[in-house]
C-alpha cells in the first residue's frame, strides 16, 4: 500500500487588512473582439466572480448574443479565469450577460433581449429571460435552467437586472406593465420575479413583486430643466431597473418613480426605492425610501444594493452635495440606509470628495460588511485629480465608522485608464475584494493590444502580503509521496514551488527531498492442508504468491513476497465387507456395524492424514426362530442359494446330527438354536425354549378355543374333560406368560394385555396334556 505525505505550511508572512485597496489584476477576455463590452455587468461573492459581456458576437456581424466569464480565487488574491459561459439557445441580440449575479455555487445571467420561452418557442420580442448555472463537484459551471416570467409579454425586458442570495433568485423586468396578478395595466410600471430552489434542484417562481403604490406617470417636473435630459426620458416608473437581495431583505429601485413615500407630490423621474421583507416565505412591503430633497430627473434608485441591515441607493443624476448645496449638474449622489432595532431604515446622504459636473456618482453601488463601493463612470480625473481624461471613470470606497456613519476612504481608478473607458459603470464588493467593470476599455490584460470597446474588469484588494521563502529538508520512504501545493514528488531531488494560500500570503518553498530505497525480500513457506499463514495484517489460506508491505522499526516499509505452498488434503479412503459379528480396527477405533467412519491421524513431523473407513456386511442373516406347528420350530432366514442350517441343543451344547433343514422338530423339552451359514458368513440364533414334549399325551382335539384369532378375550371349552384342569400359556419364545386352574368346563379369559402374536395353550388334566395355538391380533 502506498503512503502519501502531505506538506501543510503555515505562513508567517504579514497579512494586513488595510484601508487601502490596490489593483491586483486586470482581466480581459481571452477571445476578445471589438464591442464585446466585457465588464458591463459584474458580481463577486467569496471565491467566485462573474463578468458579463453582452456584446459578444460569436462570429456574426454584431449580433450581440452575449456571454459571461467566471473567475475563481485560487490564492489569497490570485484570481484566475476558469470558464466562459453562454446560453444554450442563444440567438442574435439576446444580450446574455447584460446582468449577472453569483453566490456560492449558483450564478444567474440576464438576457433582456431574448425572445423565446423556456422551450425556445412562443416568440415575443424582448420578453426577456434569465439562465441559471450551477457549479458541479468538478468545478464546472453548467446551465441547469432557463427561466422566464409566468406572465411574459413583448418588450418586458425581463432579465434587465438579476441577483442571487442563497437559494433565492430575483429577476427584474423594468418595463413590465401589470400588477402581481397580471392585471391593472400601468405602462412600464415594472416588476420583479422571485424564484426559490426546491429540494429537487428545480428553481420555481414563487412570487411576483410590484411597487405597492404603483401609479401612472405624473407628468410633473421641473420646467426649467435643461433640454439635454431628453435622451434619458423614459415614461413609467421602471420598478426593477435595479435590484438587491440579502437573506430575507430585498431592495428594488424605480428611478423614474415620481411620487413621495405617501404617494403624493409627483416630480418627474425623481426616483424611489422599495424595501421588502420576507416573512414565512412571502415578500411583504417594508419601507419605501426617497431622496431627502427630491428633484426632477435625479434618477434616485438607478442603482441599489443591500447587505444585512445596510442598504444603499444611487442617484446618478442628482445635482446637489450631501448637504443639499453646491449645485453641480449630474454630479450624482448616494443614500445609505441602516435598519435600526425597530426596523426603520435611517438615511445618510453621501457624495464624492472631488465631485464634478456629469460624474454620475452613484450609477452603480454595492455594499459588503463595513465597506461600500460607488461607481462614477463619467469621472474625468485620476485618484490624485492630476490627470484629466474625459469619462475615464472612477470608483469611491466608503467605510463605516464606529459611530455608524460612512466616510470616504479612497478613490480608485484603472492602472491603464483612458478616455471613455467608463470605469465604474459596474462595481461589486465581497469581503476584502472589489471588482470594477470598464466595458469601453480597449486594451488587453497586459495593457498592450488594442481592440475597441472589447472591455475589461479590474480586481482590487485591501490585503497586502510580503512573499516568504521557505527551505525544507524532507526524508521519505520508497512508495511515499510529498505534496507541496499542487505538486506531487516521489523521487530524490530539489524542488521549488509557489504556494497560493487562500488565507495567508503566498510562499516560495524549496524542498530538498530524499527518498530511501525500497527493501524487498522473498520467503518460501510450506504448510499442511487446513493451516493458515499470517504476515503483517494479512492471513492466507491458499497456495499462491503474495506481496505485503511491512513497516520496519526505522519507519520505512519493506516489500515481502511470500511464495506459499499449502499441501493438498491427505485423505485415505478404505472399505471393508465383514460378516455379522466381525469388526474392523482403525487406529484406536473398532467398528462392527455398517457405516462410514472418519479418523484423524496426527503426525509431529509431517502433515496429518484423514482416514475414511466404510464398513458393510457381506450379507445379513436373520437369526430369529419361530414355531410352525407345535412342536415344529423354524429359522426365519429363507432357504436360498448356499444357505445351510445346523440345529443344536443349547444346554448342554450338542450338535443334533442330521438336523440341517430350515425346520426342526424337537422330541423332548429343552432350548434349541440354529447355526446358519450364508455367503461365507456364519451366525447363530438365540436359544428357543420348547416345552410340553415331556408329557405322555399329545391330544389336540379334546378342547376348543374361540374366537381365534382374538383381540384378547377368548373362551376355552373343555368339552368331555371331567376332572379338574389347569392351563399354562407360552409365548413364541417358550416362556410361560399365564398359569391358572380351571373349575368349569367353559371358561372365558381376558388376555388383552398380551402383545400381538401366536401363543401355545396347554390344558393339563389327569396327567394328560392337551394343547392348541391361538393368535392375538389387536
Amino acid at each position: 500500500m502506498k503512503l502519501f505525505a502531505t506538506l501543510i505550511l503555515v505562513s508567517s508572512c504579514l497579512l494586513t487588512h488595510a484601508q487601502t485597496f490596490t489593483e491586483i489584476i486586470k482581466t480581459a477576455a481571452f477571445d476578445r473582439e471589438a464591442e464585446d463590452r466585457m465588464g458591463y455587468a459584474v458580481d463577486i461573492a467569496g471565491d467566485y466572480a462573474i463578468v458579463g459581456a453582452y456584446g459578444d458576437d460569436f462570429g456574426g456581424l454584431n449580433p450581440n448574443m452575449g456571454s459571461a466569464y467566471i473567475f475563481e480565487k485560487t490564492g489569497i488574491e490570485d484570481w484566475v479565469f476558469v470558464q466562459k459561459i453562454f446560453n444554450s439557445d442563444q440567438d442574435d441580440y439576446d444580450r446574455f450577460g447584460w446582468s449577472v449575479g453569483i453566490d456560492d455555487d449558483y450564478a444567474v445571467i440576464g438576457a433582456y433581449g431574448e425572445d423565446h420561452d423556456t422551450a425556445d418557442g412562443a416568440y415575443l420580442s424582448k420578453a426577456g429571460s434569465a439562465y441559471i448555472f450551477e457549479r458541479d463537484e468538478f468545478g464546472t459551471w453548467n446551465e441547469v435552467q432557463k427561466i422566464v416570467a409566468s406572465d411574459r409579454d413583448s418588450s418586458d425586458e425581463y432579465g434587465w437586472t438579476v441577483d442571487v442570495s442563497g437559494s433565492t433568485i430575483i429577476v427584474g423586468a423594468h418595463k413590465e406593465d401589470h400588477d402581481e396578478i397580471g392585471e391593472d395595466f400601468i405602462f412600464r410600471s415594472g416588476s420583479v420575479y422571485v424564484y426559490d430552489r426546491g429540494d429537487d434542484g428545480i428553481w420555481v417562481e414563487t412570487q411576483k413583486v410590484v411597487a405597492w403604490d404603483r401609479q401612472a406617470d405624473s407628468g410633473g417636473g421641473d420646467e426649467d430643466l435643461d433640454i439635454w435630459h431628453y435622451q434619458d426620458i423614459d415614461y413609467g416608473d421602471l420598478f426593477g431597473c435595479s435590484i438587491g437581495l440579502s437573506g430575507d431583505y430585498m431592495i428594488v429601485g424605480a428611478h423614474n418613480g415620481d411620487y413621495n413615500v405617501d404617494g403624493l407630490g409627483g416630480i418627474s423621474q425623481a426616483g424611489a426605492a422599495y424595501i421588502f421583507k420576507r416573512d414565512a416565505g412571502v415578500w411583504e412591503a417594508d419601507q419605501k425610501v426617497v431622496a431627502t430633497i427630491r428633484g426632477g430627473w435625479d434618477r434616485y434608485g438607478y442603482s441599489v444594493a443591500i447587505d444585512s441591515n445596510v442598504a444603499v441607493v444611487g442617484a446618478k443624476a442628482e445635482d446637489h452635495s450631501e448637504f443639499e448645496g453646491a449645485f453641480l449638474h449630474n454630479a450624482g449622489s448616494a443614500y445609505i440606509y441602516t435598519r435600526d432595532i425597530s426596523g426603520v431604515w435611517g438615511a445618510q446622504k453621501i457624495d464624492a470628495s472631488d465631485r464634478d459636473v456629469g460624474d454620475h456618482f452613484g450609477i452603480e453601488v454595492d455594499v459588503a460588511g463595513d465597506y461600500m463601493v460607488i461607481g462614477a463612470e463619467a469621472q474625468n480625473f485620476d485618484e490624485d485629480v492630476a490627470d484629466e481624461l474625459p469619462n475615464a471613470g472612477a470608483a469611491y470606497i466608503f467605510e463605516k465608522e464606529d459611530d455608524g456613519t460612512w466616510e470616504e476612504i479612497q478613490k480608485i481608478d484603472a492602472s491603464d485608464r483612458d478616455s471613455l473607458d467608463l470605469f465604474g459603470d459596474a462595481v461589486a464588493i465581497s469581503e476584502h475584494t472589489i471588482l470594477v467593470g470598464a466595458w469601453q476599455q480597449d486594451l488587453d490584460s497586459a495593457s498592450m493590444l488594442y481592440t475597441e470597446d472589447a472591455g475589461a474588469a479590474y480586481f482590487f484588494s485591501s490585503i497586502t502580503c510580503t512573499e516568504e521563502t521557505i527551505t525544507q529538508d524532507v526524508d521519505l520512504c520508497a512508495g511515499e509521496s510529498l505534496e507541496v501545493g499542487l505538486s506531487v514528488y516521489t523521487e530524490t531531488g530539489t524542488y521549488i514551488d509557489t504556494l497560493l494560500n487562500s488565507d495567508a500570503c503566498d510562499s516560495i518553498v524549496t524542498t530538498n527531498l530524499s527518498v530511501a530505497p525500497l527493501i524487498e525480500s522473498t520467503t518460501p513457506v510450506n504448510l499442511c492442508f487446513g493451516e493458515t499463514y499470517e504476515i503483517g495484517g494479512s492471513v492466507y489460506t491458499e497456495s499462491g504468491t503474495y506481496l505485503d508491505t511491512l513497516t520496519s522499526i526505522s519507519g520505512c516499509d519493506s516489500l515481502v513476497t511470500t511464495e506459499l505452498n499449502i499441501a493438498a488434503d491427505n485423505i485415505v479412503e478404505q472399505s471393508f465387507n465383514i460378516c455379522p459379528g466381525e469388526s474392523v480396527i482403525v487406529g484406536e477405533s473398532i467398528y462392527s456395524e455398517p457405516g462410514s467412519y472418519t479418523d484423524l491421524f496426527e503426525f509431529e513431523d509431517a502433515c496429518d492424514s484423514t482416514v475414511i473407513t466404510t464398513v458393510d456386511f457381506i450379507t445379513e442373516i436373520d437369526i430369529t426362530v419361530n414355531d410352525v406347528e407345535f412342536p415344529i420350530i423354524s429359522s426365519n432366514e429363507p432357504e436360498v442359494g448356499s444357505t445351510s442350517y445346523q440345529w443344536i441343543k443349547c444346554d448342554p451344547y450338542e450338535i443334533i446330527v442330521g438336523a440341517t433343514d430350515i425346520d426342526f422338530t424337537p422330541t423332548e423339552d429343552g432350548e434349541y438354536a440354529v447355526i446358519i451359514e450364508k455367503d461365507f458368513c456364519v451366525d447363530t440364533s438365540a436359544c428357543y425354549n420348547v416345552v410340553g414334549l415331556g408329557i405322555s399325551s399329545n391330544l389336540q382335539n379334546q378342547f376348543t378355543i374361540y374366537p381365534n384369532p382374538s383381540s384378547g378375550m377368548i373362551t376355552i371349552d373343555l368339552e368331555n374333560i371331567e376332572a379338574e384342569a389347569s392351563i399354562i400359556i407360552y409365548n413364541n419364545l417358550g416362556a410361560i406368560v399365564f398359569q391358572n386352574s380351571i373349575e368349569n368346563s367353559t371358561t372365558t379369559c381376558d388376555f388383552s394385555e398380551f402383545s400381538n402374536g401366536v401363543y401355545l395353550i396347554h390344558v393339563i388334566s389327569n396327567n394328560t396334556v392337551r394343547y392348541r395355538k391361538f393368535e392375538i391380533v389387536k
Side-chain angles (χ1 to χ4, degrees):
M1 180 178 64
K2 251 188 175 181
L3 300 177
F4 293 88
T6 302
L7 175 66
I8 300 176
L9 293 178
V10 179
S11 177
S12 60
C13 66
L14 177 64
L15 181 64
T16 304
H17 290 265
Q19 291 183 343
T20 299
F21 284 77
T22 304
E23 181 186 322
I24 53 173
I25 296 172
K26 174 188 178 181
T27 181
F30 66 92
D31 57 349
R32 59 199 298 268
E33 292 182 353
E35 298 183 359
D36 280 353
R37 294 163 186 162
M38 177 187 179
Y40 184 83
V42 300
D43 197 17
I44 186 171
D47 292 339
Y48 298 98
I50 186 169
V51 180
Y54 79 88
D56 197 350
D57 300 322
F58 288 86
L61 183 61
N62 299 326
N64 287 191
M65 295 176 177
S67 64
Y69 298 80
I70 296 180
F71 298 83
E72 183 176 355
K73 183 171 65 175
T74 59
I76 189 167
E77 277 298 353
D78 298 289
W79 290 88
V80 296
F81 165 74
V82 293
Q83 190 175 344
K84 177 180 180 178
I85 60 175
F86 46 87
N87 52 329
S88 56
D89 58 350
Q90 64 175 203
D91 288 309
D92 290 355
Y93 304 106
D94 281 351
R95 293 187 170 89
F96 175 96
W98 179 270
S99 57
V100 297
I102 195 166
D103 186 41
D104 196 21
D105 291 333
Y106 307 130
V108 58
I109 298 90
Y112 82 88
E114 215 272 333
D115 308 311
H116 302 91
D117 62 9
T118 56
D120 200 24
Y123 178 91
L124 291 172
S125 177
K126 286 189 178 181
S129 63
Y131 297 81
I132 303 171
F133 287 73
E134 293 188 11
R135 181 176 177 269
D136 64 21
E137 59 185 309
F138 305 107
T140 302
W141 293 83
N142 302 296
E143 181 186 323
V144 296
Q145 193 172 341
K146 176 183 180 180
I147 53 177
V148 298
S150 55
D151 56 352
R152 61 189 291 268
D153 202 355
S154 298
S155 300
D156 283 351
E157 295 189 353
Y158 169 101
W160 184 266
T161 51
V162 296
D163 202 3
V164 55
S165 176
S167 58
T168 301
I169 285 174
I170 57 175
V171 182
H174 67 149
K175 292 185 179 180
E176 208 274 330
D177 307 307
H178 301 88
D179 63 11
E180 62 266 41
I181 60 174
E183 299 180 357
D184 188 23
F185 179 93
I186 297 179
F187 182 67
R188 294 183 177 175
S189 54
S191 62
V192 173
Y193 298 81
V194 181
Y195 297 81
D196 289 295
R197 188 178 189 270
D199 293 337
D200 58 358
I202 303 300
W203 296 80
V204 179
E205 181 184 321
T206 54
Q207 191 173 346
K208 178 182 179 182
V209 176
V210 299
W212 55 83
D213 62 346
R214 58 196 291 272
Q215 300 182 55
D217 193 85
S218 68
D222 189 342
E223 306 226 347
D224 295 328
L225 286 174
D226 291 342
I227 193 64
W228 77 311
H229 281 296
Y230 77 93
Q231 72 268 29
D232 290 328
I233 294 176
D234 195 2
Y235 297 103
D237 287 350
L238 301 184
F239 174 93
C241 65
S242 59
I243 56 178
L245 178 64
S246 176
D248 289 329
Y249 286 91
M250 168 172 51
I251 185 168
V252 181
H255 67 78
N256 274 8
D258 301 329
Y259 297 98
N260 210 334
V261 293
D262 57 6
L264 302 174
I267 299 178
S268 183
Q269 282 76 50
Y274 297 79
I275 301 175
F276 294 81
K277 180 180 180 181
R278 180 163 49 188
D279 187 6
V282 177
W283 292 92
E284 299 176 345
D286 187 43
Q287 186 174 334
K288 177 180 180 181
V289 291
V290 298
T292 52
I293 298 179
R294 305 168 61 236
W297 303 94
D298 280 352
R299 296 294 175 84
Y300 172 100
Y302 194 89
S303 61
V304 295
I306 190 168
D307 181 49
S308 186
N309 67 334
V310 176
V312 57
V313 180
K316 72 160 188 170
E318 219 269 340
D319 304 317
H320 297 87
S321 71
E322 60 180 311
F323 305 111
E324 304 301 342
F327 180 93
L328 291 173
H329 192 64
N330 284 352
S333 64
Y335 294 79
I336 303 171
Y337 296 87
T338 303
R339 188 178 73 252
D340 62 23
I341 58 175
S342 64
V344 176
W345 297 81
Q348 176 189 350
K349 181 179 180 181
I350 59 174
D351 57 22
S353 56
D354 59 349
R355 60 190 292 267
D356 201 357
V357 172
D359 281 352
H360 287 169
F361 175 93
I363 192 170
E364 189 62 57
V365 298
D366 201 10
V367 58
D370 293 338
Y371 290 93
M372 181 181 303
V373 58
I374 312 292
E377 104 283 12
Q379 227 280 336
N380 300 328
F381 293 94
D382 63 12
E383 57 180 317
D384 298 321
V385 195
D387 182 16
E388 182 175 8
L389 294 172
N391 293 339
Y396 297 81
I397 303 169
F398 288 75
E399 182 180 12
K400 185 169 68 174
E401 302 296 314
D402 292 339
D403 62 359
T405 61
W406 293 78
E407 297 293 335
E408 179 186 326
I409 62 169
Q410 188 179 352
K411 175 183 179 181
I412 57 176
D413 51 33
S415 56
D416 57 353
R417 62 190 290 269
D418 201 355
S419 299
L420 304 178
D421 282 352
L422 300 184
F423 175 96
D425 196 28
V427 298
I429 183 170
S430 176
E431 299 173 352
H432 49 260
T433 307
I434 290 175
L435 178 60
V436 182
W439 58 276
Q440 289 191 172
Q441 226 282 332
D442 305 316
L443 301 178
D444 64 7
S445 56
S447 302
M448 297 180 63
L449 298 179
Y450 180 94
T451 305
E452 185 173 0
D453 293 349
Y458 298 79
F459 288 89
F460 292 78
S461 176
S462 62
I463 296 179
T464 59
C465 277
T466 301
E467 192 172 67
E468 184 174 6
T469 301
I470 299 172
T471 300
Q472 59 176 357
D473 297 322
V474 179
D475 295 323
L476 295 182
C477 300
E480 293 180 337
S481 61
L482 176 69
E483 296 181 11
V484 183
L486 300 177
S487 302
V488 179
Y489 302 113
T490 59
E491 298 180 357
T492 298
T494 298
Y495 305 97
I496 299 176
D497 294 274
T498 299
L499 300 187
L500 307 178
N501 300 315
S502 61
D503 55 359
C505 301
D506 296 347
S507 302
I508 296 178
V509 179
T510 300
T511 302
N512 298 314
L513 179 61
S514 176
V515 180
L518 183 65
I519 301 173
E520 298 183 86
S521 64
T522 301
T523 303
V525 177
N526 297 310
L527 296 180
C528 295
F529 181 83
E531 294 180 338
T532 60
Y533 183 69
E534 296 185 14
I535 179 171
S538 303
V539 179
Y540 301 113
T541 59
E542 298 180 356
S543 296
T545 300
Y546 302 99
L547 181 65
D548 289 274
T549 301
L550 305 183
T551 301
S552 66
I553 298 177
S554 64
C556 287
D557 294 343
S558 59
L559 294 181
V560 177
T561 300
T562 302
E563 297 175 347
L564 179 60
N565 179 43
I566 298 180
D569 193 4
N570 187 11
I571 299 177
V572 178
E573 297 185 9
Q574 58 182 357
S575 298
F576 294 94
N577 294 318
I578 64 173
C579 294
E582 295 180 343
S583 59
V584 175
I585 299 175
V586 181
E588 297 181 356
S589 302
I590 301 175
Y591 305 113
S592 58
E593 295 293 333
S596 180
Y597 306 96
T598 301
D599 292 273
L600 178 64
F601 290 84
E602 297 180 352
F603 301 96
E604 183 176 349
D605 298 326
C607 295
D608 296 342
S609 297
T610 300
V611 178
I612 300 175
T613 303
T614 302
V615 177
D616 283 318
F617 283 156
I618 296 175
T619 187
E620 293 188 10
I621 300 175
D622 189 344
I623 57 173
T624 60
V625 174
N626 288 319
D627 62 333
V628 179
E629 187 70 34
F630 187 84
I632 302 172
I633 58 177
S634 178
S635 171
N636 278 340
E637 176 62 38
E639 188 176 11
V640 295
S642 61
T643 304
S644 63
Y645 308 90
Q646 176 62 63
W647 291 92
I648 63 173
K649 193 169 183 179
C650 295
D651 188 20
Y653 176 82
E654 178 184 354
I655 293 177
I656 303 173
V657 179
T660 58
D661 294 329
I662 191 172
D663 297 327
F664 172 66
T665 303
T667 58
E668 58 181 351
D669 291 348
E671 293 183 337
Y672 298 89
V674 63
I675 299 172
I676 305 170
E677 183 175 354
K678 178 182 178 182
D679 297 333
F680 307 105
C681 291
V682 178
D683 205 355
T684 303
S685 72
C687 292
Y688 188 91
N689 189 23
V690 177
V691 181
L693 297 180
I695 302 176
S696 60
S697 182
N698 187 23
L699 302 175
Q700 298 187 52
N701 298 316
Q702 294 184 13
F703 72 98
T704 58
I705 298 173
Y706 60 90
N708 188 13
S710 166
S711 63
M713 189 71 70
I714 66 172
T715 300
I716 304 172
D717 187 356
L718 299 180
E719 297 179 355
N720 299 323
I721 300 175
E722 296 178 354
E724 288 185 358
S726 61
I727 64 172
I728 300 174
I729 298 178
Y730 299 87
N731 62 15
N732 62 349
L733 298 178
I736 298 174
V737 296
F738 182 82
Q739 186 173 358
N740 205 350
S741 61
I742 300 177
E743 297 178 355
N744 300 320
S745 60
T746 302
T747 301
T748 300
C749 300
D750 184 5
F751 299 129
S752 58
E753 64 181 3
F754 289 1
S755 301
N756 288 349
V758 178
Y759 293 83
L760 181 65
I761 182 170
H762 287 192
V763 178
I764 305 172
S765 177
N766 292 331
N767 295 322
T768 301
V769 178
R770 299 170 179 82
Y771 60 88
R772 276 193 181 278
K773 291 168 56 177
F774 68 94
E775 185 177 5
I776 292 179
V777 179
K778 298 179 183 178

